[in-house]
Amino acid sequence: MVILREGICPGATAQLIKALKEQNVKTVVDLVSADIEDLAQRCSISYKTLVAVRRVLLAQYSPFPSNAADLYEELLGSTAILSTGNQSLDKLLDSGLYTGELTEFVGAPGSGKTQVCLSLAVNVACALKQKVLYIDTTGGLSSARLLQLIQSQVDSLEEQVGPRLTHSLSHSPPPHHPMHIHKHVITPSHSPRWPSCPGPPPL
């Protein structure tokens, strides 16, 4: 909250600030929300002076107004939806992975969580030509398996049949090993645009 003080803006003299404080107008919010005509009479201050000071303070300390349509257009322009390469998984994720969100795959050992993540990384890097940062906290990342998925993806693209995941991803996890997906929004309105990159990240 910005406190009114002498020199805060052109026209904000010591006499003006003192008169406002005597009327319990101590902050920019107090002045902006006050009835200027009534306040000018109570403070014995020129109405035009108060209006000018109020206008300058609004320009300095108020955010630019925006409507829902503008915010929606900004969201559409700053949010990307990344296909996983698997239509069933894209449908489950509401068209794919959204930038600005954290998607969590939860399941028992052997339910296919690592396979899904590797396949997602390969599809985003090869088919969508985007950079991928893969963080492995358990030390179980298999470079051989990753290379196999990349080669399969490249072969599919060369055949012009579209990006495909491996056979193991095209099947649902076994019934006794369910896997759950949770999505968490981490940057709701200012997700960065995804820059293009020449190809998949080096192994």
Side-chain angles (χ1 to χ4, degrees):
M1 185 174 295
V2 181
I3 304 297
L4 291 174
R5 64 184 185 280
E6 180 183 358
I8 191 173
C9 71
T13 62
Q15 180 182 0
L16 174 65
I17 300 301
K18 181 181 179 180
L20 291 174
K21 288 185 176 180
E22 289 176 352
Q23 298 299 322
N24 202 33
V25 178
K26 301 179 181 179
T27 68
V28 172
V29 174
D30 293 338
L31 178 58
V32 169
S33 59
D35 183 333
I36 298 299
E37 185 175 356
D38 177 66
L39 184 61
Q41 293 178 356
R42 288 189 286 118
C43 295
S44 299
I45 297 175
S46 167
Y47 173 77
K48 290 182 63 177
T49 299
L50 272 183
V51 169
V53 170
R54 180 179 181 272
R55 183 177 299 139
V56 173
L57 291 176
L58 276 173
Q60 289 182 347
Y61 297 100
S62 297
F64 289 102
S66 59
N67 56 43
D70 292 336
L71 293 176
Y72 182 66
E73 288 297 328
E74 180 183 354
L75 178 64
L76 291 180
S78 60
T79 302
I81 303 177
L82 308 177
S83 172
T84 65
N86 181 278
Q87 292 183 355
S88 298
L89 188 55
D90 282 347
K91 183 177 181 180
L92 183 63
L93 293 171
D94 193 17
S95 299
L97 297 176
Y98 286 63
T99 58
E101 289 187 353
L102 178 66
T103 304
E104 181 181 8
F105 295 90
V106 181
S111 61
K113 300 184 300 297
T114 301
Q115 175 68 20
V116 169
C117 291
L118 288 176
S119 297
L120 289 174
V122 169
N123 185 71
V124 171
C126 295
L128 304 181
K129 300 296 187 291
Q130 305 294 342
K131 294 180 180 179
V132 176
L133 175 63
Y134 193 102
I135 301 176
D136 177 20
T137 61
T138 63
L141 178 63
S142 171
S143 58
R145 179 58 179 154
L146 187 58
L147 180 61
Q148 182 183 9
L149 290 172
I150 292 174
Q151 186 60 54
S152 175
Q153 184 71 272
V154 171
D155 290 343
S156 297
L157 292 174
E158 289 178 350
E159 295 171 4
Q160 297 183 351
V161 295
R164 295 180 303 180
L165 299 180
T166 57
H167 179 72
S168 58
L169 182 59
S170 64
H171 292 77
S172 301
H176 59 285
H177 288 310
M179 180 169 60
H180 306 282
I181 302 175
H182 306 289
K183 299 177 71 175
H184 310 277
V185 177
I186 54 178
T187 47
S189 60
H190 294 89
S191 303
R193 297 180 184 274
W194 284 63
S196 60
C197 66
L203 296 177

